[in-house]
Amino acid sequence: MKKELSKVLIIYTGGTIGMKEDPSDQTLKPFDFSAILTEVPELGKFACQVDSVTFDPLIDSSDVEPLLWKQLAEMIVREYDRYDGFVILHGTDTMAYSASALSLMLENLSKPVVFTGSQLPIGRPRTDGKENLISSVEIASARNRDGSAKIPEVCIFFNSQLLRGNRATKFSSVDFDAFRSPNWPVLATAGIDIRYNNDSIRTPGNGKISAKTCLDTRVSIMKVHPGITASVARGCLLGEDIRACIIETYGSGNAISKPWFTDIVRQACEQGRIVLNITQCLMGEVNMDIYATGRALKDTGVISGADMTTESALAKLFVLMGENDDNNMVKEKLKQDLRGEMSC
């Protein structure tokens, strides 16, 4: 029996990868992705059908908002039965935020959603865009012998590495190796062949695909730093429209031990607000039982974010708060690993 061709949908939201130099004025302008095979003829060599859709207007990575995540999630659910995988072309600056959000918004995902982009426009001679796009399409179309997807989760492909989307963070603004996943192994590596790390890949969802598109964005982020003032802490933790605050702490979850700081944190927790502790370190996790300063935070009611990235923690709060009015329920779910975003 002839094997049915895989079908992949490329979704271009904006970003450097889709830019091409206009010969008339030498400015960078987005090219027409309906002619993707003309720009990247290598895609025609895959045994799969590649379709594309372009957002109008295109969205600069710095202007990404939760509305884009909702549109992407709804599009994937709408086109889910027609395609075996999805490739989302996205600017690099907020790619980790978007990948984290989609991973937590999409319920029962059993097909690949691969984010990729580039550091140089696809029309430039040394671009990394072509290789990133080609490999992303190959990964999005890859299936096991039983027909199931090899990568049934949201991920980021960049510079020959496939990373779990909600474990990735942008590492460099100047290197092709732009993303890292410090606390989770790579899902696949593209060399002569694409080598999949099956032990690190999540099991597929078991049910009908759906999207959680009700997001509550009343979250602040406070980075603890030497010289932080009480007014800054109050604004982040006790602001009028703040429902949750992510505190980026030192090391394993430590903050300053001055009574005024602990009192503000305690006041926020006593008011029922959600306070989540995320380490500033790229690698490692929060453990508030090691040092006295961490223990002081824990005693006030601060929740450990374990080894989540800030991007993932923000997305997780948006989703959980959007589906729960009860902050205590949100706090309990924050402690659970929902999409492989944290180690338990």
Side-chain angles (χ1 to χ4, degrees), residues 36-48:
I36 185 66
L37 290 180
T38 301
E39 297 293 337
V40 190
E42 294 89 343
L43 293 176
K45 298 179 181 180
F46 287 130
C48 71

Side-chain angles (χ1 to χ4, degrees), residues 92 117-121 126-129 132 157-160 172-179:
T92 59
S118 67
Q119 297 285 62
L120 285 176
R126 294 181 54 251
T127 183
D128 54 330
N132 286 345
F157 183 86
F158 230 87
N159 194 43
S160 301
S172 173
S173 63
V174 296
D175 297 318
F176 288 152
D177 184 19
F179 290 88

Side-chain angles (χ1 to χ4, degrees), residues 157-306:
F157 183 86
F158 230 87
N159 194 43
S160 301
Q161 292 193 324
L162 185 71
L163 313 176
R164 175 165 294 161
N166 57 39
R167 290 284 194 157
T169 192
K170 188 173 181 181
F171 176 79
S172 173
S173 63
V174 296
D175 297 318
F176 288 152
D177 184 19
F179 290 88
R180 297 282 173 86
S181 176
N183 289 314
W184 194 254
V186 298
L187 305 184
T189 303
I192 296 175
D193 299 308
I194 296 179
R195 300 183 300 277
Y196 293 91
N197 184 4
N198 294 320
D199 291 337
S200 299
I201 299 169
R202 279 177 58 78
T203 56
N206 185 24
K208 183 176 175 58
I209 187 71
S210 62
K212 298 178 178 181
T213 57
C214 182
L215 305 177
D216 186 341
T217 62
R218 292 176 292 168
V219 181
S220 64
I221 300 176
M222 180 178 71
K223 186 167 187 173
V224 176
H225 59 84
I228 189 171
T229 63
S231 60
V232 169
R234 286 194 195 97
C236 290
L237 286 157
L238 300 173
E240 183 179 352
D241 198 35
I242 301 299
R243 187 177 170 192
C245 178
I246 296 170
I247 302 181
E248 291 189 343
T249 55
Y250 305 131
S252 57
N254 305 309
I256 55 178
S257 60
K258 293 180 179 179
W260 66 259
F261 183 82
T262 307
D263 289 344
I264 292 172
V265 175
R266 181 181 292 106
Q267 186 178 347
C269 293
E270 287 176 348
Q271 290 180 5
R273 300 177 192 231
I274 303 160
V275 184
L276 184 64
N277 190 346
I278 298 293
T279 177
Q280 295 176 18
C281 300
L282 285 178
M283 184 176 290
E285 64 180 354
V286 167
N287 184 342
M288 292 185 285
D289 291 320
I290 297 178
Y291 297 104
T293 53
R295 169 63 73 172
L297 290 179
K298 183 178 180 180
D299 289 343
T300 64
V302 174
I303 301 166
S304 170

Side-chain angles (χ1 to χ4, degrees), residues 88-127:
I88 300 176
L89 305 182
H90 192 291
T92 59
D93 286 346
T94 52
M95 186 183 292
Y97 287 97
S98 294
S100 294
L102 263 289
S103 74
L104 289 152
M105 292 169 71
L106 292 171
E107 189 81 20
N108 296 318
L109 183 68
S110 61
K111 297 180 181 181
V113 176
V114 185
F115 279 81
T116 195
S118 67
Q119 297 285 62
L120 285 176
I122 207 164
R124 291 281 175 86
R126 294 181 54 251
T127 183

Side-chain angles (χ1 to χ4, degrees), residues 7-9 11 51 53 71-86 111 209:
K7 296 174 66 177
V8 174
L9 179 63
I11 305 170
D51 297 331
V53 61
Q71 292 171 331
L72 284 171
E74 290 175 342
M75 180 181 292
I76 289 169
V77 170
R78 187 169 61 248
E79 302 291 345
Y80 197 75
D81 292 337
R82 296 182 55 203
Y83 293 95
D84 298 289
F86 302 86
K111 297 180 181 181
I209 187 71

